[in-house]
Amino acid sequence: MVVNAFVPAADYTGAPTWLPSGFGFFDNLSIAWNESGLGLGLANSLLYATVSAGLAVFSAALAGFAVVVMPTRRPTVWFWLIYLGTLLPLQIFLAPLFKAYVGAKVYDTSLGMILIYSAICVPFAFFIVRNFLTTLPPEITEAAQLDGAGWARLFFRIHFPLIKSSLFAAFIFQFTWVWNDLLFGITLTTSPDRRPVMAALAEISAGFSSLGPPVVLAAAIVASLPTVVLFLACQRFFVSSLRAVG
């Protein structure tokens, strides 16, 4: 992938090689950038992934706190009710979601994309945060309540800092999922200034024969960089939270 992305599009022959025949990476990227609006796709995906993952993780933290820490009736039922969202195939949402979005006039809007991504990301983020909360000793809650702490203070001042690593792990998972999504990107958007990066990359791939494989591969490398950078930057929190959940 990397070798062929550096081959100038005009020089690509399709013959197997371990070394590029030139340095055409930036020329290939420029073609992809101009032909498909890759820059807009990157900006849109950054917005969708950051805001949606953040909202989903915060909602999951509130739900996990309610199910594990607060005296909620039938917490197991609530857990499965929320977690059920990860077990349903996403394709079953498309038809009713499309009709609802058109009726609510949020089809092909940034708000519509953020709403669906936030909702889809909550169940798995809840699973991570809820499991991490179960590892915290209940004495922490009891001691804080003896000191007069209410539920809001318990959440924001005590539990929220303690579950920070699980929140980072959930955010990485959900950011990556939103960034890599193609299904909702091509179903709920049509405008180049609203579609995410994977939809833009799909358009480049549709012009595979005319643009050339090096152009497509150069765009794919750039599209994959943000998730790699995020994982490397938050790796310490990611590993520590998964150990605790496991």
Side-chain angles (χ1 to χ4, degrees), residues 63-99:
F65 180 81
V67 170
V68 176
V69 181
M70 297 179 70
T72 305
R73 295 181 61 185
R74 299 183 178 86
T76 303
V77 173
W78 282 108
F79 166 75
W80 283 108
L81 185 64
I82 298 173
Y83 185 63
L84 184 65
T86 64
L87 307 178
L88 300 174
L90 298 180
Q91 288 80 1
I92 68 174
F93 300 125
L94 292 182
L97 190 63
F98 178 84
K99 294 179 181 179

CSV table of all heavy atoms in Angstrom, one decimal, residues 63-99:
chain,number,residue,atom,x,y,z
A,63,ALA,N,-25.0,6.9,32.4
A,63,ALA,CA,-25.8,5.6,32.4
A,63,ALA,C,-25.1,4.6,33.3
A,63,ALA,O,-25.8,3.9,34.1
A,63,ALA,CB,-26.1,5.1,31.0
A,64,GLY,N,-23.8,4.5,33.2
A,64,GLY,CA,-23.1,3.5,34.0
A,64,GLY,C,-23.2,3.9,35.4
A,64,GLY,O,-23.3,3.0,36.3
A,65,PHE,N,-23.0,5.1,35.7
A,65,PHE,CA,-23.1,5.6,37.1
A,65,PHE,C,-24.5,5.3,37.7
A,65,PHE,O,-24.6,4.8,38.8
A,65,PHE,CB,-22.9,7.1,37.2
A,65,PHE,CG,-22.9,7.7,38.6
A,65,PHE,CD1,-21.8,7.6,39.4
A,65,PHE,CD2,-24.1,8.3,39.0
A,65,PHE,CE1,-21.9,8.1,40.7
A,65,PHE,CE2,-24.1,8.9,40.3
A,65,PHE,CZ,-23.0,8.8,41.1
A,66,ALA,N,-25.6,5.5,36.9
A,66,ALA,CA,-26.9,5.2,37.4
A,66,ALA,C,-27.1,3.7,37.6
A,66,ALA,O,-27.8,3.4,38.6
A,66,ALA,CB,-27.9,5.8,36.4
A,67,VAL,N,-26.6,2.9,36.8
A,67,VAL,CA,-26.8,1.5,36.9
A,67,VAL,C,-26.0,0.8,38.0
A,67,VAL,O,-26.4,-0.1,38.7
A,67,VAL,CB,-26.5,0.8,35.5
A,67,VAL,CG1,-26.5,-0.7,35.7
A,67,VAL,CG2,-27.6,1.2,34.5
A,68,VAL,N,-24.7,1.3,38.2
A,68,VAL,CA,-23.8,0.6,39.1
A,68,VAL,C,-23.8,1.3,40.5
A,68,VAL,O,-23.9,0.6,41.5
A,68,VAL,CB,-22.4,0.6,38.5
A,68,VAL,CG1,-21.4,0.0,39.5
A,68,VAL,CG2,-22.3,-0.1,37.2
A,69,VAL,N,-23.8,2.6,40.5
A,69,VAL,CA,-23.6,3.3,41.8
A,69,VAL,C,-25.0,3.7,42.5
A,69,VAL,O,-25.2,3.5,43.7
A,69,VAL,CB,-22.8,4.6,41.6
A,69,VAL,CG1,-22.5,5.3,42.9
A,69,VAL,CG2,-21.4,4.2,41.0
A,70,MET,N,-25.9,4.2,41.7
A,70,MET,CA,-27.1,4.6,42.3
A,70,MET,C,-28.0,3.4,42.5
A,70,MET,O,-27.9,2.4,41.9
A,70,MET,CB,-27.8,5.6,41.3
A,70,MET,CG,-27.0,6.9,41.1
A,70,MET,SD,-27.9,8.0,39.9
A,70,MET,CE,-29.3,8.6,40.9
A,71,PRO,N,-29.0,3.6,43.5
A,71,PRO,CA,-29.8,2.4,43.8
A,71,PRO,C,-31.0,2.3,42.8
A,71,PRO,O,-32.1,2.5,43.1
A,71,PRO,CB,-30.4,2.8,45.2
A,71,PRO,CG,-30.4,4.3,45.2
A,71,PRO,CD,-29.2,4.7,44.4
A,72,THR,N,-30.6,1.9,41.6
A,72,THR,CA,-31.5,1.7,40.5
A,72,THR,C,-32.2,0.4,40.6
A,72,THR,O,-31.5,-0.6,40.8
A,72,THR,CB,-30.8,1.9,39.1
A,72,THR,OG1,-30.1,3.2,39.1
A,72,THR,CG2,-31.8,1.8,38.0
A,73,ARG,N,-33.5,0.3,40.3
A,73,ARG,CA,-34.2,-0.9,40.4
A,73,ARG,C,-33.9,-1.7,39.1
A,73,ARG,O,-33.8,-1.2,38.0
A,73,ARG,CB,-35.7,-0.7,40.5
A,73,ARG,CG,-36.1,0.0,41.8
A,73,ARG,CD,-37.7,0.1,41.8
A,73,ARG,NE,-38.3,-1.2,41.7
A,73,ARG,CZ,-39.7,-1.3,41.6
A,73,ARG,NH1,-40.4,-0.2,41.6
A,73,ARG,NH2,-40.2,-2.5,41.5
A,74,ARG,N,-33.7,-3.0,39.2
A,74,ARG,CA,-33.4,-3.9,38.1
A,74,ARG,C,-32.2,-3.4,37.3
A,74,ARG,O,-32.4,-3.2,36.1
A,74,ARG,CB,-34.6,-4.1,37.3
A,74,ARG,CG,-35.8,-4.8,38.0
A,74,ARG,CD,-37.0,-5.0,37.1
A,74,ARG,NE,-38.1,-5.7,37.8
A,74,ARG,CZ,-39.0,-5.0,38.5
A,74,ARG,NH1,-39.0,-3.7,38.5
A,74,ARG,NH2,-40.0,-5.6,39.1
A,75,PRO,N,-31.0,-3.3,37.8
A,75,PRO,CA,-29.9,-2.8,37.1
A,75,PRO,C,-29.5,-3.7,35.9
A,75,PRO,O,-29.0,-3.2,34.9
A,75,PRO,CB,-28.8,-2.7,38.1
A,75,PRO,CG,-29.2,-3.6,39.2
A,75,PRO,CD,-30.7,-3.5,39.2
A,76,THR,N,-29.7,-5.0,36.1
A,76,THR,CA,-29.4,-6.0,35.0
A,76,THR,C,-30.2,-5.7,33.8
A,76,THR,O,-29.8,-5.8,32.7
A,76,THR,CB,-29.5,-7.4,35.5
A,76,THR,OG1,-28.7,-7.6,36.7
A,76,THR,CG2,-29.1,-8.4,34.4
A,77,VAL,N,-31.5,-5.5,34.0
A,77,VAL,CA,-32.4,-5.2,32.9
A,77,VAL,C,-32.0,-4.0,32.2
A,77,VAL,O,-32.0,-3.9,30.9
A,77,VAL,CB,-33.9,-5.1,33.4
A,77,VAL,CG1,-34.8,-4.7,32.3
A,77,VAL,CG2,-34.3,-6.4,34.1
A,78,TRP,N,-31.6,-2.9,32.9
A,78,TRP,CA,-31.2,-1.7,32.3
A,78,TRP,C,-29.9,-1.9,31.5
A,78,TRP,O,-29.7,-1.4,30.4
A,78,TRP,CB,-31.0,-0.6,33.3
A,78,TRP,CG,-32.3,0.0,33.8
A,78,TRP,CD1,-32.9,-0.1,35.0
A,78,TRP,CD2,-33.1,0.9,33.0
A,78,TRP,NE1,-34.1,0.6,35.0
A,78,TRP,CE2,-34.2,1.2,33.8
A,78,TRP,CE3,-33.1,1.4,31.7
A,78,TRP,CZ2,-35.2,2.1,33.4
A,78,TRP,CZ3,-34.1,2.3,31.3
A,78,TRP,CH2,-35.1,2.6,32.1
A,79,PHE,N,-29.0,-2.7,32.0
A,79,PHE,CA,-27.8,-3.0,31.3
A,79,PHE,C,-28.1,-3.7,30.0
A,79,PHE,O,-27.5,-3.2,28.9
A,79,PHE,CB,-26.9,-3.9,32.2
A,79,PHE,CG,-25.7,-4.5,31.4
A,79,PHE,CD1,-24.6,-3.8,31.1
A,79,PHE,CD2,-25.8,-5.9,31.0
A,79,PHE,CE1,-23.6,-4.3,30.4
A,79,PHE,CE2,-24.7,-6.4,30.3
A,79,PHE,CZ,-23.6,-5.6,29.9
A,80,TRP,N,-28.9,-4.7,30.0
A,80,TRP,CA,-29.1,-5.4,28.7
A,80,TRP,C,-30.0,-4.6,27.8
A,80,TRP,O,-29.8,-4.7,26.5
A,80,TRP,CB,-29.8,-6.7,29.0
A,80,TRP,CG,-28.9,-7.8,29.5
A,80,TRP,CD1,-28.8,-8.3,30.8
A,80,TRP,CD2,-27.9,-8.4,28.7
A,80,TRP,NE1,-27.8,-9.2,30.8
A,80,TRP,CE2,-27.2,-9.3,29.6
A,80,TRP,CE3,-27.5,-8.3,27.4
A,80,TRP,CZ2,-26.1,-10.1,29.2
A,80,TRP,CZ3,-26.4,-9.1,26.9
A,80,TRP,CH2,-25.7,-10.0,27.8
A,81,LEU,N,-30.8,-3.7,28.3
A,81,LEU,CA,-31.6,-2.8,27.5
A,81,LEU,C,-30.8,-1.9,26.7
A,81,LEU,O,-31.0,-1.6,25.5
A,81,LEU,CB,-32.7,-2.1,28.3
A,81,LEU,CG,-33.7,-1.2,27.5
A,81,LEU,CD1,-34.5,-2.1,26.7
A,81,LEU,CD2,-34.5,-0.4,28.5
A,82,ILE,N,-29.7,-1.3,27.4
A,82,ILE,CA,-28.8,-0.4,26.7
A,82,ILE,C,-27.8,-1.1,25.8
A,82,ILE,O,-27.6,-0.7,24.7
A,82,ILE,CB,-28.1,0.5,27.7
A,82,ILE,CG1,-29.1,1.3,28.6
A,82,ILE,CG2,-27.1,1.4,27.1
A,82,ILE,CD1,-28.4,2.0,29.7
A,83,TYR,N,-27.3,-2.2,26.3
A,83,TYR,CA,-26.3,-2.9,25.6
A,83,TYR,C,-26.8,-3.6,24.3
A,83,TYR,O,-26.1,-4.0,23.4
A,83,TYR,CB,-25.6,-4.0,26.5
A,83,TYR,CG,-24.4,-4.7,25.8
A,83,TYR,CD1,-23.3,-4.0,25.4
A,83,TYR,CD2,-24.5,-6.1,25.6
A,83,TYR,CE1,-22.2,-4.7,24.9
A,83,TYR,CE2,-23.4,-6.8,25.0
A,83,TYR,CZ,-22.3,-6.1,24.7
A,83,TYR,OH,-21.3,-6.7,24.1
A,84,LEU,N,-28.1,-3.8,24.3
A,84,LEU,CA,-28.8,-4.5,23.2
A,84,LEU,C,-28.5,-3.7,21.9
A,84,LEU,O,-28.5,-4.3,20.8
A,84,LEU,CB,-30.3,-4.6,23.4
A,84,LEU,CG,-31.1,-5.3,22.3
A,84,LEU,CD1,-30.7,-6.8,22.3
A,84,LEU,CD2,-32.6,-5.1,22.6
A,85,GLY,N,-28.2,-2.4,22.0
A,85,GLY,CA,-27.9,-1.6,20.8
A,85,GLY,C,-26.7,-2.1,20.0
A,85,GLY,O,-26.5,-1.8,18.8
A,86,THR,N,-25.8,-2.8,20.7
A,86,THR,CA,-24.6,-3.3,20.0
A,86,THR,C,-24.9,-4.7,19.3
A,86,THR,O,-24.0,-5.1,18.5
A,86,THR,CB,-23.4,-3.6,20.9
A,86,THR,OG1,-23.8,-4.6,21.9
A,86,THR,CG2,-23.1,-2.3,21.7
A,87,LEU,N,-26.0,-5.3,19.6
A,87,LEU,CA,-26.3,-6.6,19.0
A,87,LEU,C,-27.1,-6.6,17.8
A,87,LEU,O,-27.3,-7.6,17.1
A,87,LEU,CB,-27.0,-7.5,20.1
A,87,LEU,CG,-26.3,-7.6,21.5
A,87,LEU,CD1,-27.1,-8.4,22.4
A,87,LEU,CD2,-24.9,-8.2,21.3
A,88,LEU,N,-27.7,-5.5,17.5
A,88,LEU,CA,-28.6,-5.3,16.3
A,88,LEU,C,-27.8,-4.9,15.1
A,88,LEU,O,-27.0,-4.0,15.2
A,88,LEU,CB,-29.7,-4.3,16.6
A,88,LEU,CG,-30.6,-4.6,17.8
A,88,LEU,CD1,-31.6,-3.5,18.0
A,88,LEU,CD2,-31.4,-5.9,17.5
A,89,PRO,N,-28.0,-5.5,13.9
A,89,PRO,CA,-27.3,-5.1,12.7
A,89,PRO,C,-27.8,-3.7,12.3
A,89,PRO,O,-29.0,-3.3,12.4
A,89,PRO,CB,-27.8,-6.1,11.7
A,89,PRO,CG,-29.0,-6.7,12.2
A,89,PRO,CD,-28.9,-6.7,13.7
A,90,LEU,N,-26.8,-2.8,12.0
A,90,LEU,CA,-27.1,-1.4,11.7
A,90,LEU,C,-28.0,-1.3,10.4
A,90,LEU,O,-28.7,-0.3,10.3
A,90,LEU,CB,-25.8,-0.7,11.4
A,90,LEU,CG,-24.8,-0.6,12.6
A,90,LEU,CD1,-23.6,0.1,12.3
A,90,LEU,CD2,-25.5,0.0,13.8
A,91,GLN,N,-28.0,-2.3,9.5
A,91,GLN,CA,-28.8,-2.1,8.3
A,91,GLN,C,-30.3,-2.0,8.6
A,91,GLN,O,-31.0,-1.4,7.8
A,91,GLN,CB,-28.5,-3.4,7.4
A,91,GLN,CG,-27.2,-3.4,6.7
A,91,GLN,CD,-26.1,-3.8,7.7
A,91,GLN,OE1,-26.4,-4.2,8.8
A,91,GLN,NE2,-24.9,-3.9,7.2
A,92,ILE,N,-30.7,-2.6,9.8
A,92,ILE,CA,-32.2,-2.5,10.0
A,92,ILE,C,-32.6,-1.1,10.4
A,92,ILE,O,-33.8,-0.8,10.3
A,92,ILE,CB,-32.6,-3.5,11.2
A,92,ILE,CG1,-32.0,-3.0,12.5
A,92,ILE,CG2,-32.1,-4.9,10.9
A,92,ILE,CD1,-32.4,-3.8,13.7
A,93,PHE,N,-31.7,-0.2,10.7
A,93,PHE,CA,-32.1,1.2,11.0
A,93,PHE,C,-32.2,2.1,9.8
A,93,PHE,O,-32.8,3.1,9.9
A,93,PHE,CB,-31.0,1.8,11.9
A,93,PHE,CG,-30.8,1.1,13.2
A,93,PHE,CD1,-29.5,0.7,13.6
A,93,PHE,CD2,-31.9,0.9,14.1
A,93,PHE,CE1,-29.3,0.1,14.8
A,93,PHE,CE2,-31.7,0.3,15.3
A,93,PHE,CZ,-30.4,-0.2,15.6
A,94,LEU,N,-31.7,1.6,8.6
A,94,LEU,CA,-31.5,2.6,7.5
A,94,LEU,C,-32.8,3.1,6.9
A,94,LEU,O,-33.0,4.3,6.8
A,94,LEU,CB,-30.7,1.9,6.4
A,94,LEU,CG,-29.2,1.6,6.7
A,94,LEU,CD1,-28.5,0.9,5.5
A,94,LEU,CD2,-28.5,2.8,7.1
A,95,ALA,N,-33.8,2.2,6.6
A,95,ALA,CA,-35.0,2.6,6.0
A,95,ALA,C,-35.8,3.5,6.9
A,95,ALA,O,-36.2,4.7,6.5
A,95,ALA,CB,-35.8,1.4,5.6
A,96,PRO,N,-36.1,3.1,8.2
A,96,PRO,CA,-36.9,4.1,9.1
A,96,PRO,C,-36.1,5.3,9.4
A,96,PRO,O,-36.7,6.4,9.5
A,96,PRO,CB,-37.2,3.2,10.3
A,96,PRO,CG,-36.2,2.1,10.3
A,96,PRO,CD,-35.9,1.8,8.9
A,97,LEU,N,-34.8,5.2,9.5
A,97,LEU,CA,-34.0,6.4,9.8
A,97,LEU,C,-34.0,7.4,8.7
A,97,LEU,O,-34.1,8.6,8.9
A,97,LEU,CB,-32.5,5.9,10.1
A,97,LEU,CG,-31.6,7.0,10.7
A,97,LEU,CD1,-32.1,7.5,12.1
A,97,LEU,CD2,-30.2,6.4,10.8
A,98,PHE,N,-33.9,6.9,7.5
A,98,PHE,CA,-34.0,7.8,6.3
A,98,PHE,C,-35.3,8.5,6.2
A,98,PHE,O,-35.3,9.7,6.0
A,98,PHE,CB,-33.7,6.9,5.0
A,98,PHE,CG,-33.8,7.7,3.8
A,98,PHE,CD1,-32.7,8.4,3.3
A,98,PHE,CD2,-35.0,7.8,3.0
A,98,PHE,CE1,-32.8,9.2,2.1
A,98,PHE,CE2,-35.1,8.6,1.9
A,98,PHE,CZ,-34.0,9.2,1.4
A,99,LYS,N,-36.4,7.8,6.4
A,99,LYS,CA,-37.7,8.5,6.4
A,99,LYS,C,-37.8,9.5,7.5
A,99,LYS,O,-38.4,10.6,7.3
A,99,LYS,CB,-38.8,7.4,6.5
A,99,LYS,CG,-38.9,6.5,5.3
A,99,LYS,CD,-40.0,5.4,5.5
A,99,LYS,CE,-40.0,4.5,4.3
A,99,LYS,NZ,-41.1,3.4,4.4
